């Protein structure tokens, strides 16, 4: 017998990285919120790599933090090692990556949920959601408890219809041997949502004492440690060292001899895997001419001997895994504590959602994370934050937030999902953004903290620190414009050592920093009026000076993009009525239902000619866009 167990403003299904940010955002904006998890001990679990950030993903973490989210703070609290990736490249692609203590991360996140006002953390499997006539919702647990809500956010990760594959063995399961969400998928299909099957995988975990580190390359962290969160005040320290090894010809031979036993190649797995994070057998087959593949040996935490083998995910049989792991230098005698596996799961076609992450035909229903067809903790957390804040804003009668592509990587991620759709698990990369010189990780606060403040997720103390930082940055730019250095011997020796021409007359600091070879560090001995500022301020100032012309060009492109974004499209428009638009464009426009001309122009299959015809038709039929 079912029973009415409670009423909430927002119900969040799943307490992974997406569910956590969604629940915290909704609760902090004053909504009575419940977050449901199948297993309370799996809150904030990191079932794959024990790390947060990475190329482009570090940008997402910084942006989540700038908006008032929690991932960056918690990653800093659980830090084992921090590195800034892509140091040898331009500032647009610099990205932080933190090796974290995965168990501590889970514990800290769980405790934050427990302490959050307006938020209930509950263990229970949601088996069904129902839409009521007044746009309210019901969520039903396996124990027949019925919870009513004004909004529901689905953040099921890889649990929805989860199935594990290891060679010929397969069974229903969530990640890390947990129970899957076995019934909710049927309810979502009956509701009318279009679902598909995706898959991902994870490598083995091996016992630290069984690894021979003597011949492996060390990969230490960077000092001083740069935190993810703008709230982290205490200096952070690196606590662990990672190691690098390589596969070899014997590894390749073992895999090729057993490739027929892979469920991926044997046809057992129907789900589509991630293009940019393939399994080892995928890499061996797809890059057949490559002699070796790199792997990273990383600690899973301070109080565990488990080591993670990044780059070595597999779904081959357990005995085959043992053979190829033992063929690798340093792992010849490793004890595999948990074997690698592939997991297949249900997710939704994100073309059914608006850029708010609300389903267009189901008011009050939102999706976030891997349920939306993405992959990765950071992508999930970013979507969870947006879904949670928008559900709360809608309930409060406020306008929902749409982050555009020029505001953030979060905006780019969501726009790609809801405009272009996905054919395989979506992973954020810097190359996906056409405005990446403006969307750097160092200026995430400048871009997004004012919005976080307006929404209500940034505290007074955090806001005051932000305002102070912006004022210090303004003063430093003025100082560089006004301060000139005389052509001293010391200055010219610095310039010659940097392979740039000496000066014969006085020169402003601003002009010196425009030179590619010159930076703040090398000018320190002669820059005697320099104030003691946060290194992040110096970094931002220097980048903006050196790349001024490129940044100005990107900002003009952004202005044009936003002009098109401002041309709204009627929601009820049937594009089949518009003659002159290609049939493919008509089909795609009706399916995506873009909110504006800018979004319409980014839909695959919609040409510039189609956009021109659309604009003319709207004008001639009295539906001119603003």
């Amino acid at each position: 017998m079912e029973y009415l167990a409670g009423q909430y403003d927002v119900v969040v299904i799943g307490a992974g990285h997406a569910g956590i940010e969604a629940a915290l955002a909704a609760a902090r904006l004053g909504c009575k919120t419940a977050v449901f998890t199948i297993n309370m001990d799996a809150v904030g679990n990191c079932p794959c790599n024990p790390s947060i950030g990475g190329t482009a993903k570090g940008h997402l973490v910084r942006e989540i933090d700038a908006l008032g989210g929690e991932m960056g703070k918690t990653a800093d609290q659980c830090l084992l090692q921090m590195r800034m990736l892509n140091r040898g490249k331009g500032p647009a692609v610099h990205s932080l990556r933190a090796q974290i203590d995965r168990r501590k991360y889970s514990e800290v996140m769980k405790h934050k949920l427990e302490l959050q006002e307006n938020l209930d953390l509950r263990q229970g499997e949601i088996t069904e959601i129902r839409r009521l006539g007044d746009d309210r919702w019901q969520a039903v647990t396996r124990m027949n408890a019925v919870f009513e809500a004004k909004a529901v956010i689905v953040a099921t990760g890889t649990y929805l219809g989860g199935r594990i594959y290891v060679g010929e063995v397969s069974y229903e399961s969530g990640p890390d041997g947990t129970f899957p969400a076995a019934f909710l998928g049927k309810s979502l299909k009956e509701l009318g949502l279009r679902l598909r099957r995706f898959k991902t995988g994870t490598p083995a975990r091996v016992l630290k004492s069984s690894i021979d580190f003597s011949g492996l390359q060390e990969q230490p962290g960077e000092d001083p440690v740069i935190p993810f969160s703008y709230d982290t005040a205490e200096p952070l320290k690196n606590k662990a060292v990672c190691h690098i090894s390589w596969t070899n010809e014997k590894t390749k031979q073992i895999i090729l001899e057993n490739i027929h036993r892979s469920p991926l190649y044997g046809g057992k797995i129907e789900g589509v895997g991630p293009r940019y994070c393939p399994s080892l057998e995928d890499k061996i087959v797809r890059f057949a001419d490559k002699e070796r593949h790199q792997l990273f040996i990383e600690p899973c935490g301070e109080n565990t001997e488990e080591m993670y083998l990044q780059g070595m995910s597999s779904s081959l049989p357990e005995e085959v895994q043992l053979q190829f792991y033992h063929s690798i230098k340093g792992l010849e005698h490793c004890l595999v504590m948990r074997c690698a596996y592939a997991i297949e799961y249900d997710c939704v076609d994100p073309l059914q959602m608006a850029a708010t992450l609300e389903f267009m035909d189901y008011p009050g229903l939102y999706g976030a994370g891997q349920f939306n067809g993405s992959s990765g903790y950071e992508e999930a957390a970013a979507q969870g934050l947006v879904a949670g804040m928008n559900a709360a804003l809608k309930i409060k009668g406020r306008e929902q937030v749409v982050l555009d592509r020029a505001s953030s990587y979060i905006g780019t991620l969501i726009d790609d999902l809801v405009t272009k759709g996905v054919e395989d698990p979506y992973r954020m990369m810097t190359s996906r953004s056409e405005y990446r010189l403006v969307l750097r990780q160092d200026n995430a606060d400048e871009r997004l903290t004012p919005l976080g403040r307006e929404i209500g997720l940034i505290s007074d103390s955090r806001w005051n620190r932000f305002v102070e930082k912006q004022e210090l940055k303004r003063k430093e730019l003025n100082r560089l414009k006004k301060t000139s250095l005389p052509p001293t011997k010391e200055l010219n020796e610095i310039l010659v050592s940097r392979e740039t021409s000496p000066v014969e007359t006085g020169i402003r600091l601003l002009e010196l920093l425009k030179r590619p070879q010159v930076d703040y560090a090398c000018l320190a001995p002669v820059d005697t009026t320099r104030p003691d500022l946060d290194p992040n301020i110096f970094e931002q100032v220097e980048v903006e000076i050196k790349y001024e012309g490129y940044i100005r060009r990107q900002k003009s492109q952004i202005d044009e993009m936003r002009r098109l974004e401002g041309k709204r499209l009627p929601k009820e428009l049937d594009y089949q009525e518009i003659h002159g638009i290609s049939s493919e464009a008509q089909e795609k426009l009706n399916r995506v239902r873009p909110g504006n001309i800018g979004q319409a122009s980014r839909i695959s299959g919609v040409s510039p000619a189609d956009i021109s015809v659309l604009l003319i038709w709207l004008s001639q039929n009295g539906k001119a866009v603003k």
Side-chain angles (χ1 to χ4, degrees):
M1 296 287 292
E2 290 184 357
Y3 71 99
L4 184 60
Q7 294 182 324
Y8 289 96
D9 292 319
V10 179
V11 163
V12 180
I13 304 173
H17 303 284
I20 287 170
E21 297 290 353
L24 288 173
R28 288 168 177 172
L29 291 176
C31 287
K32 186 181 178 184
T33 305
V35 55
F36 287 87
T37 175
I38 291 177
N39 187 335
M40 195 81 81
D41 296 324
V43 171
N45 187 29
C46 298
C48 196
N49 54 320
S51 68
I52 299 292
T55 302
K57 293 169 179 281
H59 290 67
L60 290 173
V61 181
R62 271 285 177 87
E63 291 177 353
I64 291 166
D65 185 76
L67 283 167
E70 206 62 37
M71 176 174 265
K73 295 189 190 79
T74 307
D76 289 345
Q77 289 174 257
C78 305
L79 180 70
L80 295 179
Q81 183 196 93
M82 185 74 84
R83 297 177 64 241
M84 182 72 79
L85 305 185
N86 301 321
R87 282 283 194 191
K89 300 179 181 178
V93 296
H94 292 175
S95 297
L96 282 172
R97 182 182 188 272
Q99 201 69 34
I100 60 164
D101 186 322
R102 66 186 290 256
R103 287 295 175 222
K104 183 179 179 182
Y105 187 92
S106 177
E107 291 170 4
V108 170
M109 277 298 198
K110 177 173 179 283
H111 201 207
K112 288 180 178 182
L113 293 179
E114 292 167 339
L115 293 174
Q116 178 61 49
E117 186 181 359
N118 296 323
L119 179 60
D120 293 338
L121 173 61
R122 311 184 69 138
Q123 180 165 299
E125 179 186 350
I126 302 296
T127 58
E128 183 181 2
I129 59 172
R130 301 168 183 159
R131 183 182 182 184
L132 303 181
D134 56 354
D135 281 341
R136 290 174 62 84
W137 293 83
Q138 288 182 338
V140 185
T141 74
R142 198 165 184 176
M143 300 299 179
N144 295 319
V146 179
F147 295 88
E148 291 189 354
K150 297 174 184 175
V152 172
I153 301 171
V154 183
T156 47
T158 60
Y159 283 82
L160 193 62
R163 176 171 284 274
I164 296 289
Y165 289 88
V166 182
E168 296 86 1
V169 177
S170 73
Y171 51 90
E172 292 184 354
S173 177
D176 274 344
T178 54
F179 289 117
F183 304 99
L184 182 59
K186 180 183 177 183
S187 173
L188 295 174
K189 288 177 183 176
E190 289 175 350
L191 192 64
L193 298 185
R194 299 191 302 271
L195 300 184
R196 72 268 295 272
R197 294 288 276 178
F198 276 0
K199 79 101 182 170
T200 188
T202 188
R205 274 65 161 179
V206 301
L207 182 65
K208 182 178 181 179
S209 60
S210 68
I211 301 172
D212 180 3
F213 293 101
S214 60
L216 301 182
Q217 177 184 337
E218 282 195 356
Q219 188 184 51
E222 288 187 357
D223 287 310
V225 175
I226 300 172
F228 273 124
S229 178
Y230 295 97
D231 267 347
T232 300
E234 293 295 320
L236 301 176
K237 294 182 180 180
N238 292 303
K239 301 176 183 177
V241 173
C242 300
H243 293 80
I244 299 173
S245 188
W246 301 83
T247 64
N248 52 54
E249 192 59 39
K250 185 178 179 181
T251 316
K252 182 177 181 179
Q253 182 182 349
I254 292 168
I255 290 173
L256 290 176
E257 287 175 354
N258 292 276
I259 197 69
H260 62 285
R261 300 185 65 190
S262 165
L264 184 64
Y265 287 89
K268 289 186 178 180
I269 294 180
E270 60 180 90
V272 181
R275 181 181 308 180
Y276 299 103
C277 189
S279 65
L280 181 59
E281 53 263 37
D282 255 353
K283 288 190 277 191
I284 294 293
V285 171
R286 286 162 55 180
F287 308 105
D289 57 337
K290 198 164 185 177
E291 294 182 0
R292 62 179 190 167
H293 295 274
Q294 192 176 51
L295 66 134
F296 299 86
I297 304 173
E298 304 170 335
C300 289
E302 284 191 87
N303 300 309
T304 179
E305 297 302 301
E306 285 188 82
M307 304 295 286
Y308 177 83
L309 305 180
Q310 185 192 327
M312 296 290 285
S313 66
S314 176
S315 60
L316 284 164
E318 186 176 41
E319 66 271 25
V320 178
Q321 292 184 33
L322 294 175
Q323 290 179 49
F324 74 68
Y325 284 134
H326 288 161
S327 72
I328 296 168
K329 187 174 183 179
L331 304 179
E332 293 91 346
H333 305 290
C334 72
L335 173 65
V336 174
M337 301 174 73
R338 310 190 200 200
C339 71
Y341 64 84
I343 184 168
E344 193 178 52
Y345 57 95
D346 286 335
C347 58
V348 77
D349 179 356
L351 292 178
Q352 298 165 94
M353 290 183 287
T356 58
L357 295 182
E358 184 178 24
F359 283 88
M360 289 183 283
D361 293 331
Y362 304 90
L365 181 63
Y366 295 78
Q370 288 192 253
F371 175 70
N372 288 356
S374 63
S375 70
Y377 310 149
E378 303 81 6
E379 290 88 341
Q383 294 170 66
L385 178 63
V386 171
M389 69 169 68
N390 277 330
L393 290 171
K394 181 175 183 177
I395 289 167
K396 295 292 182 180
R398 298 170 60 188
E399 185 177 355
Q400 297 188 67
V401 171
V402 173
L403 296 171
D404 67 29
R405 300 181 69 87
S407 71
S408 56
Y409 274 78
I410 298 176
T412 304
L413 159 67
I414 293 174
D415 184 67
D416 280 350
L417 289 174
V418 304
T419 301
K420 301 175 183 177
V422 289
E423 299 300 326
D424 50 69
Y426 180 100
R427 177 179 180 175
M428 194 69 232
M429 298 180 291
T430 53
S431 59
R432 294 193 188 274
S433 173
E434 59 271 50
Y435 309 119
R436 56 185 175 272
L437 191 53
V438 173
L439 307 183
R440 306 183 310 277
Q441 57 85 29
D442 65 88
N443 67 357
D445 59 337
E446 193 171 298
R447 292 183 279 113
L448 295 173
T449 296
L451 176 60
R453 175 68 172 180
E454 181 184 338
I455 292 167
L457 293 174
I458 299 295
S459 67
D460 289 344
S461 58
R462 171 82 175 265
W463 178 249
N464 291 337
R465 290 197 304 275
F466 169 76
V467 171
E468 181 184 8
K469 178 186 171 184
Q470 296 309 113
E471 178 61 17
L472 290 172
K473 178 185 170 185
R474 185 191 65 80
K475 287 181 177 178
E476 174 61 4
L477 274 168
N478 283 338
R479 185 185 76 88
L480 295 175
K481 292 174 183 176
K482 295 177 180 178
T483 303
S484 293
L485 296 181
T488 62
K489 179 181 178 183
E490 186 177 11
L491 172 60
N492 282 327
E493 284 177 350
I494 290 170
L495 297 179
V496 171
S497 71
R498 287 298 181 115
E499 298 183 352
T500 185
S501 58
V503 294
E504 297 180 357
T505 60
I507 185 170
R508 290 185 300 158
L509 282 168
L510 183 77
E511 298 303 320
L512 283 172
L513 283 171
K514 283 183 178 180
R515 298 187 181 190
Q517 306 92 332
V518 176
D519 56 28
Y520 261 106
C522 76
L523 290 177
V526 292
D527 186 7
T528 57
T529 63
R530 180 182 301 179
D532 183 18
L533 300 178
D534 184 330
N536 182 255
I537 295 177
F538 291 132
E539 180 184 4
Q540 280 187 263
V541 168
E542 185 172 325
V543 169
E544 289 177 14
I545 289 171
K546 288 189 184 302
Y547 295 89
E548 181 185 11
Y550 297 102
I551 292 172
R552 191 186 306 116
R553 188 183 308 164
Q554 282 205 349
K555 285 184 175 178
S556 67
Q557 294 168 350
I558 288 169
D559 289 342
E560 173 60 18
M561 183 273 289
R562 286 185 169 152
R563 185 183 69 81
L564 294 175
E565 297 278 309
K567 295 179 180 293
R568 309 297 298 175
L569 288 168
K571 290 183 179 179
E572 73 284 354
L573 185 58
D574 181 359
Y575 293 91
Q576 298 286 347
E577 298 178 1
I578 305 177
H579 302 294
I581 293 181
S582 69
S583 57
E584 180 185 4
Q586 288 175 335
E587 178 188 342
K588 295 285 182 66
L589 288 164
N590 273 332
R591 188 178 183 190
V592 176
R593 283 182 277 172
N596 55 68
I597 291 292
Q599 185 184 3
S601 68
R602 294 191 295 274
I603 298 173
S604 174
V606 177
S607 69
D610 293 320
I611 296 297
S612 296
V613 172
L614 174 59
L615 287 168
I616 293 169
W617 187 91
L618 289 167
S619 178
Q620 290 176 342
N621 287 271
K623 297 182 180 180
V625 289
K626 294 181 181 179

